[in-house]
Amino acid sequence: METMKEYIEEAEKALLHTYNRYQVVLDKGEGVYLYDIEGKKYLDFCSGIGVFALGYHNQKYNDALKAQIDKVIHTSNYYYNVPAIEAAKKLKKVSGMDRVFFTNSGAEAVEGAIKAARKYAYLKDGCTDHEIIAMEHSFHGRTYGALSVTGNPKYREAFEPMIGNIRFARMNDFESVLSQVTDKTCAILFETVQGEGGIYPAEEEFMKQIRALCDEKDILLILDEIQCGMGRTGSMFAWQKYGVKPDIMTTAKALGCGVPVGAFLMTEKVGTNSLTSGDHGTTYGGNPLAAAAINIVLDLFEENHIIDNVKEAGAYLEKELDTLVKEYDCVETRRGAGLMQGLVLNRPVGNVIARALERGLILINAGANVIRFVPPLIITKEHVDEMMTILRACLKEEME
Ligand SMILES: *Cc1c(COP(=O)(O)O)cnc(C)c1O
């Protein structure tokens, strides 16, 4: 068998170098632990960037996928398939939204949301110059539409021009949003909790003001729930805790727990006044295998009381991380909700994350100075304790 070093050398000759990857070749998983090909065990507080919510090697999940593989994997959207119908019904139920379009990724869900919003505005006035307001420090994906609303110039610069008529405002700053509103504004788009940008939850007041503004001017509110949704912050979708409802929302990441799938959902009002036959499509989106994944994920969320666990484990994680703010001079603050937390350091976090990996703990960053905690949603207090022991050792070394 080849060693990790040999595989990594081969990888760097064959794969396009778009990631500075950690020097680990992962092999298999069990619960909240991953193993590399040399057998080293890692406690996983990344879950494949908030994807593997149910933990690795969940037998019911695996069995459901295997059963669907033996039936049929793909049919095309020219025909109906039962798994997709079931998945759409279940998603409607847990979200309270009315219409579902399945995609293959988060970025594609954002693309669809943008198209739906533009079409909605187009049907009202026949104009093609509508504007969308997005937020600074946001992240919505790497395709052109999604990148165009991503508030990080570093990701966009070399690929200009973006799609037009996008304006940026500051998250949680209503005046800043208001200053970007014109009579061409068709949508306001943001992550209910900003993920990549550094774990910034929307403030309740901000949400309410934005909703009222959107109602007043018939602007569509689009909430990106790709990272913060699917139970991660202690409700099925993060917006459900705010007492406001979006007109369009996106989901992906934990939706299929590893099978590449996403969705954008909308209210009946938008559904009947935007995209229609011929306006949008996808070869794979919502195929029987992807839809089977969504079905078993949503079933297991209910069966295993995942959201109750997030509330309990999330509160504990929050409390434990807060102690670090007092203990270590390099730790400035903690932000987040449930099992989506950020620990803000007064310096880049790369060294701490690298040391954690050495010690068998997988963490990721969210921006330069923030350590991000997005573990599988099945973690227990014991896993948090195990993580804290390693993290403390790494922070102590950092301060030496
Ligand atoms: C990951 C992410 C995306 C993009 O999803 P992909 O599946 O990588 O295309 C979009 N929005 C948010 C908030 C995300 O975290």
Side-chain angles (χ1 to χ4, degrees):
M1 199 185 83
E2 291 177 62
T3 63
M4 289 218 291
K5 194 162 164 288
E6 285 163 344
Y7 271 120
I8 291 167
E9 273 166 24
E10 286 173 13
E12 290 306 331
K13 283 184 199 140
L15 294 169
L16 189 66
H17 189 89
T18 53
Y19 285 93
N20 289 324
R21 292 175 215 260
Y22 293 104
Q23 299 298 295
V24 175
V25 184
L26 293 170
D27 184 36
K28 59 179 183 185
E30 187 66 48
V32 300
Y33 295 96
L34 280 167
Y35 295 82
D36 69 26
I37 58 166
E38 292 174 359
K40 181 172 166 183
K41 185 179 180 182
Y42 302 85
L43 174 62
D44 182 16
F45 264 66
C46 166
S47 65
I49 323 184
V51 169
F52 233 101
L54 297 168
Y56 302 99
H57 196 187
N58 181 303
Q59 203 57 53
K60 284 187 179 167
Y61 173 83
N62 291 1
D63 288 344
L65 292 189
K66 286 176 197 167
Q68 189 58 50
I69 286 170
D70 286 337
K71 257 181 144 176
V72 66
I73 294 174
H74 180 77
T75 54
S76 123
N77 281 312
Y78 288 144
Y79 313 96
Y80 298 97
N81 75 77
V82 175
I85 297 165
E86 292 296 326
K89 274 165 50 188
K90 284 178 195 168
L91 259 186
K92 277 182 61 170
K93 188 165 164 242
V94 293
S95 67
M97 305 297 283
D98 300 309
R99 298 273 166 182
V100 183
F101 185 100
F102 291 116
T103 66
N104 311 294
S105 67
E108 283 170 86
V110 174
E111 298 288 330
I114 293 171
K115 279 179 74 175
R118 283 187 167 176
K119 179 77 191 288
Y120 178 88
Y122 171 80
L123 287 177
K124 275 196 302 184
D125 64 11
C127 294
T128 55
D129 56 354
H130 299 106
E131 297 171 352
I132 294 173
I133 301 175
M135 301 299 145
E136 292 171 10
H137 307 296
S138 62
F139 181 83
H140 298 289
R142 303 293 197 146
T143 54
Y144 262 101
L147 194 56
S148 300
V149 289
T150 287
N152 185 339
K154 190 182 80 191
Y155 289 161
R156 293 199 311 259
E157 190 177 83
F159 310 102
E160 298 280 352
M162 296 288 116
I163 68 167
N165 294 18
I166 309 295
R167 291 166 170 263
F168 286 95
R170 278 186 302 278
M171 181 91 170
N172 289 329
D173 180 345
F174 183 65
E175 291 307 318
S176 142
V177 175
L178 211 50
S179 73
Q180 297 300 326
V181 174
T182 72
D183 55 5
K184 295 293 179 191
T185 309
C186 70
I188 298 174
L189 158 70
F190 57 95
E191 301 153 80
T192 316
V193 181
Q194 284 190 336
E196 306 293 319
I199 316 292
Y200 288 96
E203 285 162 15
E204 192 167 331
E205 180 68 9
F206 179 72
M207 274 284 226
K208 295 209 154 112
Q209 286 171 315
I210 296 278
R211 182 67 267 177
L213 171 70
C214 288
D215 288 341
E216 184 198 321
K217 297 192 179 292
D218 198 19
I219 294 170
L220 299 180
L221 173 59
I222 308 174
L223 292 178
D224 182 343
E225 290 264 341
I226 290 167
Q227 190 163 156
C228 61
M230 292 301 291
R232 184 151 294 280
T233 69
S235 52
M236 197 60 187
F237 294 103
W239 62 261
Q240 289 168 327
K241 279 187 299 198
Y242 291 80
V244 300
K245 189 176 169 178
D247 301 289
I248 304 175
M249 61 163 276
T250 58
T251 173
K253 290 202 162 88
L255 178 64
C257 275
V259 172
V261 62
F264 62 100
L265 290 80
M266 55 193 79
T267 59
E268 195 62 37
K269 178 184 86 171
V270 182
T272 47
N273 295 292
S274 63
L275 303 176
T276 183
S277 335
D279 275 344
H280 199 52
T282 163
T283 300
Y284 293 132
N287 85 8
L289 181 64
I294 298 173
N295 282 319
I296 187 67
V297 167
L298 290 174
D299 289 351
L300 289 174
F301 259 69
E302 209 173 292
E303 199 178 311
N304 297 346
H305 309 288
I306 294 290
I307 288 172
D308 291 339
N309 188 63
V310 172
K311 284 183 189 153
E312 205 181 311
Y316 187 68
L317 175 64
E318 205 169 290
K319 181 173 84 68
E320 288 299 297
L321 291 176
D322 277 340
T323 63
L324 300 176
V325 180
K326 286 178 213 108
E327 276 172 44
Y328 296 92
D329 289 342
C330 64
V331 180
E332 284 189 337
T333 184
R334 176 205 55 83
R335 286 194 294 262
L339 291 176
M340 182 172 185
Q341 298 286 343
L343 194 67
V344 185
L345 267 51
N346 63 6
R347 62 189 73 186
V349 297
N351 285 337
V352 175
I353 291 175
R355 285 200 195 96
L357 192 67
E358 280 284 303
R359 290 171 187 265
L361 168 65
I362 295 182
L363 293 171
I364 41 167
N365 66 310
N369 291 7
V370 181
I371 304 174
R372 174 170 26 167
F373 302 82
V374 284
L377 303 184
I378 57 164
I379 63 155
T380 61
K381 289 181 180 174
E382 287 70 35
H383 298 127
V384 174
D385 290 341
E386 190 183 339
M387 181 279 291
M388 287 295 292
T389 304
I390 302 175
L391 182 59
R392 277 205 170 87
C394 299
L395 288 170
K396 189 161 164 271
E397 266 176 44
E398 179 69 22
M399 296 304 290
E400 275 164 5

PDB file of all heavy atoms in Angstrom, residues 220-240:
ATOM      1  N   LEU A 220     -38.060  40.812  -2.594  1.00  0.00           N
ATOM      2  CA  LEU A 220     -38.027  39.441  -2.077  1.00  0.00           C
ATOM      3  C   LEU A 220     -36.867  39.254  -1.104  1.00  0.00           C
ATOM      4  O   LEU A 220     -35.735  39.681  -1.382  1.00  0.00           O
ATOM      5  CB  LEU A 220     -37.911  38.440  -3.227  1.00  0.00           C
ATOM      6  CG  LEU A 220     -39.072  38.463  -4.238  1.00  0.00           C
ATOM      7  CD1 LEU A 220     -38.837  37.423  -5.336  1.00  0.00           C
ATOM      8  CD2 LEU A 220     -40.417  38.224  -3.556  1.00  0.00           C
ATOM      9  N   LEU A 221     -37.163  38.641   0.020  1.00  0.00           N
ATOM     10  CA  LEU A 221     -36.118  38.304   0.990  1.00  0.00           C
ATOM     11  C   LEU A 221     -35.638  36.882   0.706  1.00  0.00           C
ATOM     12  O   LEU A 221     -36.417  35.924   0.769  1.00  0.00           O
ATOM     13  CB  LEU A 221     -36.662  38.404   2.420  1.00  0.00           C
ATOM     14  CG  LEU A 221     -35.721  37.911   3.534  1.00  0.00           C
ATOM     15  CD1 LEU A 221     -34.400  38.675   3.538  1.00  0.00           C
ATOM     16  CD2 LEU A 221     -36.403  38.032   4.899  1.00  0.00           C
ATOM     17  N   ILE A 222     -34.345  36.763   0.358  1.00  0.00           N
ATOM     18  CA  ILE A 222     -33.752  35.447   0.092  1.00  0.00           C
ATOM     19  C   ILE A 222     -32.780  35.119   1.225  1.00  0.00           C
ATOM     20  O   ILE A 222     -31.828  35.867   1.450  1.00  0.00           O
ATOM     21  CB  ILE A 222     -32.959  35.427  -1.238  1.00  0.00           C
ATOM     22  CG1 ILE A 222     -33.804  35.950  -2.402  1.00  0.00           C
ATOM     23  CG2 ILE A 222     -32.440  34.018  -1.522  1.00  0.00           C
ATOM     24  CD1 ILE A 222     -33.021  36.087  -3.717  1.00  0.00           C
ATOM     25  N   LEU A 223     -33.027  34.045   1.946  1.00  0.00           N
ATOM     26  CA  LEU A 223     -32.105  33.640   3.010  1.00  0.00           C
ATOM     27  C   LEU A 223     -31.331  32.398   2.576  1.00  0.00           C
ATOM     28  O   LEU A 223     -31.924  31.400   2.144  1.00  0.00           O
ATOM     29  CB  LEU A 223     -32.868  33.377   4.309  1.00  0.00           C
ATOM     30  CG  LEU A 223     -33.485  34.639   4.935  1.00  0.00           C
ATOM     31  CD1 LEU A 223     -34.276  34.278   6.190  1.00  0.00           C
ATOM     32  CD2 LEU A 223     -32.419  35.695   5.257  1.00  0.00           C
ATOM     33  N   ASP A 224     -30.014  32.507   2.666  1.00  0.00           N
ATOM     34  CA  ASP A 224     -29.140  31.382   2.329  1.00  0.00           C
ATOM     35  C   ASP A 224     -28.924  30.566   3.597  1.00  0.00           C
ATOM     36  O   ASP A 224     -28.258  31.000   4.534  1.00  0.00           O
ATOM     37  CB  ASP A 224     -27.811  31.906   1.766  1.00  0.00           C
ATOM     38  CG  ASP A 224     -26.869  30.783   1.339  1.00  0.00           C
ATOM     39  OD1 ASP A 224     -27.082  29.630   1.764  1.00  0.00           O
ATOM     40  OD2 ASP A 224     -25.913  31.069   0.581  1.00  0.00           O
ATOM     41  N   GLU A 225     -29.509  29.376   3.614  1.00  0.00           N
ATOM     42  CA  GLU A 225     -29.445  28.484   4.786  1.00  0.00           C
ATOM     43  C   GLU A 225     -28.577  27.267   4.483  1.00  0.00           C
ATOM     44  O   GLU A 225     -28.719  26.214   5.116  1.00  0.00           O
ATOM     45  CB  GLU A 225     -30.864  28.044   5.167  1.00  0.00           C
ATOM     46  CG  GLU A 225     -31.712  29.155   5.751  1.00  0.00           C
ATOM     47  CD  GLU A 225     -31.708  29.147   7.282  1.00  0.00           C
ATOM     48  OE1 GLU A 225     -31.363  28.104   7.873  1.00  0.00           O
ATOM     49  OE2 GLU A 225     -32.042  30.186   7.885  1.00  0.00           O
ATOM     50  N   ILE A 226     -27.684  27.415   3.524  1.00  0.00           N
ATOM     51  CA  ILE A 226     -26.899  26.261   3.072  1.00  0.00           C
ATOM     52  C   ILE A 226     -26.001  25.724   4.189  1.00  0.00           C
ATOM     53  O   ILE A 226     -25.896  24.512   4.363  1.00  0.00           O
ATOM     54  CB  ILE A 226     -26.097  26.637   1.802  1.00  0.00           C
ATOM     55  CG1 ILE A 226     -27.067  26.811   0.632  1.00  0.00           C
ATOM     56  CG2 ILE A 226     -25.036  25.588   1.488  1.00  0.00           C
ATOM     57  CD1 ILE A 226     -26.489  27.467  -0.610  1.00  0.00           C
ATOM     58  N   GLN A 227     -25.403  26.629   4.950  1.00  0.00           N
ATOM     59  CA  GLN A 227     -24.540  26.177   6.054  1.00  0.00           C
ATOM     60  C   GLN A 227     -25.267  26.193   7.401  1.00  0.00           C
ATOM     61  O   GLN A 227     -25.125  25.279   8.208  1.00  0.00           O
ATOM     62  CB  GLN A 227     -23.282  27.061   6.123  1.00  0.00           C
ATOM     63  CG  GLN A 227     -22.246  26.521   7.074  1.00  0.00           C
ATOM     64  CD  GLN A 227     -20.855  27.115   6.860  1.00  0.00           C
ATOM     65  OE1 GLN A 227     -20.056  27.131   7.765  1.00  0.00           O
ATOM     66  NE2 GLN A 227     -20.554  27.604   5.669  1.00  0.00           N
ATOM     67  N   CYS A 228     -26.053  27.224   7.654  1.00  0.00           N
ATOM     68  CA  CYS A 228     -26.652  27.382   8.991  1.00  0.00           C
ATOM     69  C   CYS A 228     -27.961  26.612   9.135  1.00  0.00           C
ATOM     70  O   CYS A 228     -28.485  26.487  10.243  1.00  0.00           O
ATOM     71  CB  CYS A 228     -26.875  28.860   9.291  1.00  0.00           C
ATOM     72  SG  CYS A 228     -27.989  29.687   8.151  1.00  0.00           S
ATOM     73  N   GLY A 229     -28.481  26.070   8.028  1.00  0.00           N
ATOM     74  CA  GLY A 229     -29.761  25.368   8.083  1.00  0.00           C
ATOM     75  C   GLY A 229     -29.625  23.919   8.493  1.00  0.00           C
ATOM     76  O   GLY A 229     -28.573  23.485   8.967  1.00  0.00           O
ATOM     77  N   MET A 230     -30.675  23.161   8.323  1.00  0.00           N
ATOM     78  CA  MET A 230     -30.712  21.732   8.641  1.00  0.00           C
ATOM     79  C   MET A 230     -30.297  21.452  10.092  1.00  0.00           C
ATOM     80  O   MET A 230     -29.449  20.601  10.367  1.00  0.00           O
ATOM     81  CB  MET A 230     -29.825  20.950   7.664  1.00  0.00           C
ATOM     82  CG  MET A 230     -30.356  20.924   6.244  1.00  0.00           C
ATOM     83  SD  MET A 230     -32.001  20.197   6.086  1.00  0.00           S
ATOM     84  CE  MET A 230     -31.703  18.467   6.457  1.00  0.00           C
ATOM     85  N   GLY A 231     -30.918  22.177  10.996  1.00  0.00           N
ATOM     86  CA  GLY A 231     -30.781  21.877  12.413  1.00  0.00           C
ATOM     87  C   GLY A 231     -29.586  22.478  13.117  1.00  0.00           C
ATOM     88  O   GLY A 231     -29.536  22.494  14.348  1.00  0.00           O
ATOM     89  N   ARG A 232     -28.633  22.963  12.358  1.00  0.00           N
ATOM     90  CA  ARG A 232     -27.342  23.321  12.944  1.00  0.00           C
ATOM     91  C   ARG A 232     -27.412  24.341  14.085  1.00  0.00           C
ATOM     92  O   ARG A 232     -26.635  24.268  15.031  1.00  0.00           O
ATOM     93  CB  ARG A 232     -26.366  23.811  11.857  1.00  0.00           C
ATOM     94  CG  ARG A 232     -24.975  24.102  12.401  1.00  0.00           C
ATOM     95  CD  ARG A 232     -23.879  23.915  11.389  1.00  0.00           C
ATOM     96  NE  ARG A 232     -23.711  22.536  10.962  1.00  0.00           N
ATOM     97  CZ  ARG A 232     -23.050  21.589  11.651  1.00  0.00           C
ATOM     98  NH1 ARG A 232     -22.508  21.864  12.813  1.00  0.00           N
ATOM     99  NH2 ARG A 232     -22.936  20.367  11.171  1.00  0.00           N
ATOM    100  N   THR A 233     -28.334  25.281  13.997  1.00  0.00           N
ATOM    101  CA  THR A 233     -28.358  26.306  15.054  1.00  0.00           C
ATOM    102  C   THR A 233     -29.453  26.050  16.087  1.00  0.00           C
ATOM    103  O   THR A 233     -29.713  26.894  16.938  1.00  0.00           O
ATOM    104  CB  THR A 233     -28.521  27.727  14.473  1.00  0.00           C
ATOM    105  OG1 THR A 233     -29.845  27.840  13.936  1.00  0.00           O
ATOM    106  CG2 THR A 233     -27.505  28.022  13.388  1.00  0.00           C
ATOM    107  N   GLY A 234     -30.109  24.884  16.012  1.00  0.00           N
ATOM    108  CA  GLY A 234     -31.097  24.554  17.038  1.00  0.00           C
ATOM    109  C   GLY A 234     -32.537  24.686  16.577  1.00  0.00           C
ATOM    110  O   GLY A 234     -33.466  24.490  17.360  1.00  0.00           O
ATOM    111  N   SER A 235     -32.755  25.024  15.311  1.00  0.00           N
ATOM    112  CA  SER A 235     -34.081  24.898  14.690  1.00  0.00           C
ATOM    113  C   SER A 235     -33.819  24.347  13.295  1.00  0.00           C
ATOM    114  O   SER A 235     -32.699  24.423  12.804  1.00  0.00           O
ATOM    115  CB  SER A 235     -34.810  26.246  14.625  1.00  0.00           C
ATOM    116  OG  SER A 235     -33.992  27.226  14.032  1.00  0.00           O
ATOM    117  N   MET A 236     -34.849  23.790  12.661  1.00  0.00           N
ATOM    118  CA  MET A 236     -34.586  23.138  11.378  1.00  0.00           C
ATOM    119  C   MET A 236     -33.880  24.108  10.430  1.00  0.00           C
ATOM    120  O   MET A 236     -32.873  23.776   9.818  1.00  0.00           O
ATOM    121  CB  MET A 236     -35.900  22.643  10.763  1.00  0.00           C
ATOM    122  CG  MET A 236     -35.672  21.628   9.682  1.00  0.00           C
ATOM    123  SD  MET A 236     -34.803  20.173  10.356  1.00  0.00           S
ATOM    124  CE  MET A 236     -34.478  19.266   8.905  1.00  0.00           C
ATOM    125  N   PHE A 237     -34.430  25.321  10.312  1.00  0.00           N
ATOM    126  CA  PHE A 237     -33.745  26.362   9.568  1.00  0.00           C
ATOM    127  C   PHE A 237     -33.537  27.546  10.505  1.00  0.00           C
ATOM    128  O   PHE A 237     -34.394  27.824  11.353  1.00  0.00           O
ATOM    129  CB  PHE A 237     -34.528  26.732   8.304  1.00  0.00           C
ATOM    130  CG  PHE A 237     -34.569  25.579   7.334  1.00  0.00           C
ATOM    131  CD1 PHE A 237     -35.710  24.805   7.196  1.00  0.00           C
ATOM    132  CD2 PHE A 237     -33.430  25.219   6.627  1.00  0.00           C
ATOM    133  CE1 PHE A 237     -35.719  23.692   6.352  1.00  0.00           C
ATOM    134  CE2 PHE A 237     -33.427  24.110   5.781  1.00  0.00           C
ATOM    135  CZ  PHE A 237     -34.579  23.350   5.643  1.00  0.00           C
ATOM    136  N   ALA A 238     -32.385  28.191  10.367  1.00  0.00           N
ATOM    137  CA  ALA A 238     -32.002  29.217  11.346  1.00  0.00           C
ATOM    138  C   ALA A 238     -33.027  30.341  11.397  1.00  0.00           C
ATOM    139  O   ALA A 238     -33.297  30.896  12.465  1.00  0.00           O
ATOM    140  CB  ALA A 238     -30.611  29.754  11.012  1.00  0.00           C
ATOM    141  N   TRP A 239     -33.641  30.672  10.243  1.00  0.00           N
ATOM    142  CA  TRP A 239     -34.595  31.794  10.217  1.00  0.00           C
ATOM    143  C   TRP A 239     -35.833  31.519  11.056  1.00  0.00           C
ATOM    144  O   TRP A 239     -36.525  32.454  11.478  1.00  0.00           O
ATOM    145  CB  TRP A 239     -34.988  32.176   8.780  1.00  0.00           C
ATOM    146  CG  TRP A 239     -35.691  31.116   7.969  1.00  0.00           C
ATOM    147  CD1 TRP A 239     -35.119  30.296   7.045  1.00  0.00           C
ATOM    148  CD2 TRP A 239     -37.085  30.769   7.986  1.00  0.00           C
ATOM    149  NE1 TRP A 239     -36.063  29.461   6.502  1.00  0.00           N
ATOM    150  CE2 TRP A 239     -37.273  29.725   7.045  1.00  0.00           C
ATOM    151  CE3 TRP A 239     -38.194  31.253   8.692  1.00  0.00           C
ATOM    152  CZ2 TRP A 239     -38.526  29.157   6.807  1.00  0.00           C
ATOM    153  CZ3 TRP A 239     -39.442  30.674   8.451  1.00  0.00           C
ATOM    154  CH2 TRP A 239     -39.596  29.642   7.522  1.00  0.00           C
ATOM    155  N   GLN A 240     -36.118  30.246  11.323  1.00  0.00           N
ATOM    156  CA  GLN A 240     -37.358  29.923  12.031  1.00  0.00           C
ATOM    157  C   GLN A 240     -37.374  30.435  13.469  1.00  0.00           C
ATOM    158  O   GLN A 240     -38.427  30.504  14.083  1.00  0.00           O
ATOM    159  CB  GLN A 240     -37.597  28.398  11.984  1.00  0.00           C
ATOM    160  CG  GLN A 240     -37.992  27.939  10.582  1.00  0.00           C
ATOM    161  CD  GLN A 240     -37.957  26.427  10.393  1.00  0.00           C
ATOM    162  OE1 GLN A 240     -37.132  25.753  11.000  1.00  0.00           O
ATOM    163  NE2 GLN A 240     -38.823  25.900   9.537  1.00  0.00           N
TER     164      GLN A 240
END
